[in-house]
Amino acid sequence: MRFFVGGIATESNGFVSYPTPLSDFHRYRADTAASGQDQKVLAASDTWRDQIPAAGHQLVAGPLNWAMPSGPTARSAYHRMRDELLAELREAGPVAGVLLDLHGAMVADGYPDPEGDLIERCRAVVGPGVPIGVFLDHHCHLTRRMVEFATVIVAMKEWPHVDVPDRAREIFDLVLATAEGRVRPTMALFDCRMIGAYPTRREPMRTFVERLRTLEREPGVLSLSLGHGYPWADVPEVGSKLLAITDGDPGLAARLAEQLGREFFALRHRVTERADLGIDEALDYALTAPRPPVVLCEQSDNHLGGSAGDATFVLERVVARGVADVVFGPIWDPMSVAICRAAGEGERLMLRIGAKSGPEAGRPVDLRCEIRRVIPDLVQRPMGPIQAMPFGDAVWVSAEPGLDLILHARRAGTLRPEVITDFGISLERKRVVVAKMWRHGVEGFAGVATDFKILMTPGTQTLDFARILSGEFQSPSWPRVDDPFATGS
């Protein structure tokens, strides 16, 4: 049998000022592993490329497109990628199934649910009898449109993302079983009425995820997915959802989805990620810690969640307080990098650092700096399932009284201390490391940091979930509404 594979994947932050153009997407094909700077961080399609022929079937390779999390995708870019994929699906002729490698939290100009749009259009091409399997990041929206037109949808269960191959294999197995007539998937979706972020390695989230795995072994249950939602998308169907897939039993699917969704809602106060300290509290803590360095995670400006990575809220306070022995992990500032490259190592100059992406990034900080080192094409080495990430040209600049900053030209997520230490900076001699990362990078920095604190800062990924809820949302959600189910909406 022949199975078509294609996809468009990115995570869209609706609170940033700039769009994601077509040029930001890495574009390759489903039968060829991307390499070098085009290598995707995570891809279900990498598993399908091997799994489909290993099962004795033919992979029909369509286009794959992915971009770093960023602002909403430009309409013309989405149209082009979507139409190319649909054209190749039509040209492929009859297929036994379609496998789509998506994200679930993509937004395009004029399309709050482009994944749902793409799935519906794929369904129109292949007809009602061909199974469509969809892979999603767990930070997905799980919209009603997706569920209506897909056959099976499976989201990652783990955060950090360590189960991509397992979930990809699960999707193909379900699509193959459907194509062979061995199962009849029925899906039911329950809106948990929650907005938040839920690391799965901590309790009670760990136990809830394991409960999903246990129930998947029950007769008639094919798959269970918790879509965490992507709080910073600012679209109508954002939020946490529970998706149940059963074998020809819609009643069981609906009961499971609601039962588990309400169980998850009952855990809301215990599973939701919160910031540890405000900026000044965190600086006071780090400066008095008995064993430096302390890593302060500037989560609200984390590249891997679509933020620009050039916010200056922490830098501004450090400068205002005259804090010494501080190093900032890469700050996205292509203009300053270009100026430093032209000037050369050893030169002293005034730089206007950061906050160039938009008002949500704060105000630029003016510093008289010395250019200490320039590294063309700085690359962060792989870590676990995360592939190498290029930071583009990068520079180390220093300013009084003991402030070091790494500036880079290409947006990428900080995960490892080498993006700082490769310049020759010794982190052991620093009291404070400020890194634009979330918990993704805690494991990578564990060998040099004595403690980690998540900062509560302004920005496009604030953890103040009650504040970011906008009028776009279709239903009342916690934490803005303490018990949204009691409203009757």
Side-chain angles (χ1 to χ4, degrees), residues 286 289-294 427-432 448-451:
R291 294 190 304 116
V294 173
L427 294 184
E428 289 77 8
R429 298 186 178 184
K430 297 294 180 182
R431 295 207 63 86
V432 187
V448 297
T450 60
D451 200 357

Side-chain angles (χ1 to χ4, degrees), residues 9 28 40-49 51 100-103 134-139 154-173 200-201 213 225 383-387 440:
Y28 55 108
K40 187 179 179 182
V41 176
L42 299 157
S45 49
D46 288 343
T47 298
W48 296 332
R49 188 178 59 250
Q51 185 183 13
L100 296 176
D101 189 354
L102 308 179
H103 183 284
V134 177
F135 171 86
L136 297 179
D137 189 287
H138 58 252
H139 290 125
V154 176
M156 300 180 205
K157 284 184 168 62
E158 301 293 345
W159 182 31
H161 310 331
V162 295
D163 62 332
V164 174
D166 292 338
R167 301 288 74 77
R169 284 189 286 270
E170 178 183 344
I171 292 169
F172 177 67
D173 288 344
T200 60
R201 291 184 177 178
R213 296 185 195 278
S225 292
M383 187 180 78
I386 309 296
Q387 301 295 335
H440 302 79

Side-chain angles (χ1 to χ4, degrees), residues 41-42 104 158 177 191 199-200 222 228 248 261 336 351 447 454:
V41 176
L42 299 157
E158 301 293 345
D191 186 348
T200 60
L222 299 179
H228 295 203
S336 292
L351 287 177
I454 305 294

Side-chain angles (χ1 to χ4, degrees), residues 192-198 228 231 238-240 265 268-269 272-274 456 462-470 473 475-484:
C192 303
R193 302 287 186 88
M194 291 169 61
I195 306 292
Y198 324 107
H228 295 203
V238 73
S240 307
F265 179 80
R268 63 195 181 281
H269 295 288
T272 302
E273 175 82 307
R274 291 177 172 84
M456 173 61 82
T462 177
L463 291 175
D464 187 352
F465 297 116
R467 186 174 69 82
I468 65 173
L469 291 175
S470 78
F473 301 147
S475 59
S477 296
W478 181 85
R480 176 167 284 185
V481 178
D482 185 59
D483 187 358

Side-chain angles (χ1 to χ4, degrees), residues 209-233:
V209 171
E210 293 306 320
R211 175 159 163 71
L212 298 183
R213 296 185 195 278
T214 299
L215 288 171
E216 285 177 330
R217 295 193 287 271
E218 293 291 319
V221 181
L222 299 179
S223 180
L224 297 168
S225 292
L226 173 66
H228 295 203
Y230 184 66
W232 306 281

